[in-house]
Amino acid sequence: MKSPLQILILCIILMATACYKDKGNYDIIEYSKINNITHPTVPPVILGDSLKLKPAFSWEHPERDTTGNAFEFEWRQLDSVVSRERNLGYVPDITGYVMIYLHVKEKATGIVTRFSIQVQVISSYKAGWMLLTKDQGKSVISFVRRDAKRDNNNQLYYEYKYFPDVYNQLHPDAPLGNNPVKFASKAFPDYTADEVLLLQGNATTYLNGSDLSKVIELRNEFNGNAFPNNAVPVDYVDGGPVNFTLLSDGNVYWKRNSVTMGGIHQGKFMDVPVYFEGGGAHISKIIDVSIDYTYFLYLYDDLHKRFLGLFTTTGDDSFLGGKLYLANGSTPPAGFVDLNNQAGYALIYCSDYANGAYFMNIIKNETSGQYLLQNYRLTRRGTVLEANEHQQEAFAGNGIVTDNTIYHRIRNSSYLFFGEGSKLYFYDVNTKQVKLYHDFGNGVIKAITTDAPGGELGVALSNGVFSICSLKTEILGSANPGATGILFSQQQVGDIVDLSWKWGSYYEYVFRRYP
């Protein structure tokens, strides 16, 4: 039961409500709500190119004014405002994974809706073909990049851009050096970055992968900031937790890093070279192998005419840098030239294929002059590289090849390409047939290498011509592959010394892809 006081209060409230009259002295503001802002994933943008974004808006009331008359648009790169237009068009000034923010403010209410998208901005020189040439003994670097484009019908096509003498254009006050030898382009200070080691005279130098600026000279990573025995570097391998350098005296030096990735500039190389049992060794070649699959360096000792290995795995690191010796796991066929004793034969070429499981050698009989092709499988078992599935045959290129022939195995295919004089050939290991790809007419082929996925082949000639050739099946199967397979050609690139694919980062390397 309600008390008299409660009844009195209720009556006062009802009377007050009945006496209230809406005079209409206020404004009703309609909120044109943004339900959502979306945009498709953006492909990587090259530093210096324009980034264009056209976001899609979902409105609560699309019939109302949704233009710049009713809304303010503000695009930000990190904390900097880069545009006040509804659609973004600007040139990024930093590289890496960049966050782009859009703030949309409704003028009538002051309500702000936010949208963000991550964009990868890559260096103009992140990935592509690097050409090392010399000009009066001085090192010169040029670069060729492939850009993906789409036509008006949204069909993908590629454009190739040549950057001549790119290092001196970027760094005119810091000359490279003299007596260029080669590139070592698999050097990774981080999973998402790369460096290139330029081997040259006594000034072998790491270059930053983004702008090619100098990082540090390799000699500064040896005690006393000097190479042992006045030797100079001729090759280098970044093995992740370990790094190796081959000097001109035939010795391999190494250092161990405290981290699996990013330790390439940690600590110093050991003063004492790796010693191999069986009378030592004179290493003439570090074989270019897929080290992320093999987990070992593959070496050729021209003192004892044998192959050797050095352990690099990121697994059981108690054996990092350990020496590996070859042994047969099965009996080779009669006449197979022993991998531990190739006396009487000269090693012409060696490469791995099939994800680092199999290897092929081109060797020459120093008496008869005949070239042989060897294939075999290597499996690491403790300190042993066990060889199996041996095969050997007279190379089908006999009569074409010489000691000056340039070879390159396409690792994800059955093709071995080789250049002799001005002619580019390929050998199909399945059909055992040799086919002419193209005769460039002039010059001598000096270097051959593929792009990241192995779909295009770069060819550099002594007359200063650099060409890119398609490796598509329909091209290789045609009667005259070079007639339609030459995708790009550049004249006057210089006196070629080396050609290398620049990966861009460790991720691009292990996935064999473009950025």
Side-chain angles (χ1 to χ4, degrees), residues 30-38 55-73 86-87 102-107 111 113:
E30 295 180 336
Y31 173 31
S32 299
K33 181 180 179 182
I34 299 174
N35 290 329
N36 198 17
I37 303 175
T38 59
F57 293 83
S58 173
W59 305 90
E60 181 76 18
H61 302 286
E63 72 280 0
R64 297 175 183 169
D65 187 359
T66 61
T67 68
N69 295 325
F71 290 87
E72 293 177 353
F73 301 89
R86 177 169 180 153
N87 298 323
L102 170 62
H103 293 192
V104 184
K105 179 180 179 180
E106 187 172 18
K107 296 179 180 180
I111 295 175
T113 303

Side-chain angles (χ1 to χ4, degrees), residues 186-202:
K186 301 171 189 172
F188 304 109
D190 189 275
Y191 287 106
T192 60
D194 73 335
E195 292 181 3
V196 174
L197 184 65
L198 170 60
L199 290 96
Q200 55 174 2
N202 198 40

Side-chain angles (χ1 to χ4, degrees), residues 19 52 60 62 72 75 78 192 219 223 238 240 245 258 266-267 289 300 306 344 350 363 368 388 446 458 471 504 513:
C19 294
K52 297 180 180 180
E60 181 76 18
E72 293 177 353
W75 291 90
L78 302 178
T192 60
R219 65 182 173 184
N223 288 320
D238 174 14
T245 298
S258 64
Q266 287 184 345
V289 301
Y300 185 70
R306 60 177 176 167
C350 179
I363 59 175
S368 68
N388 290 286
K446 303 289 288 185
L471 300 182
R513 68 187 185 187

Side-chain angles (χ1 to χ4, degrees), residues 357-468:
Y358 289 85
F359 291 76
M360 67 180 305
N361 303 335
I362 301 287
I363 59 175
K364 178 186 177 182
N365 186 310
E366 294 176 319
T367 301
S368 68
Q370 183 185 46
Y371 294 88
L372 302 178
L373 173 64
Q374 294 183 308
N375 283 280
Y376 50 97
R377 180 173 188 141
L378 289 181
T379 306
R380 188 185 67 82
R381 303 192 188 282
T383 60
V384 172
L385 289 177
E386 185 180 274
N388 290 286
E389 302 180 41
H390 310 74
Q391 297 178 15
Q392 182 175 289
E393 62 194 64
F395 179 46
N398 275 291
I400 300 175
V401 300
T402 68
D403 291 355
N404 296 318
T405 300
I406 304 298
Y407 298 86
H408 187 80
R409 173 64 192 255
I410 312 300
R411 290 186 170 97
N412 60 350
S413 77
S414 61
Y415 301 116
L416 169 68
F417 273 75
F418 59 94
E420 173 57 39
S422 64
K423 296 180 180 180
L424 179 66
Y425 299 88
F426 63 98
Y427 168 72
D428 188 332
V429 300
N430 292 326
T431 65
K432 303 189 183 302
Q433 298 294 313
V434 172
K435 184 175 180 178
L436 177 67
Y437 186 99
H438 186 66
D439 184 354
F440 291 92
N442 296 304
V444 175
I445 295 174
K446 303 289 288 185
I448 306 172
T449 196
T450 56
D451 65 350
E456 297 178 0
L457 189 74
V459 182
L461 290 94
S462 62
N463 61 351
V465 174
F466 171 70
S467 296
I468 298 174

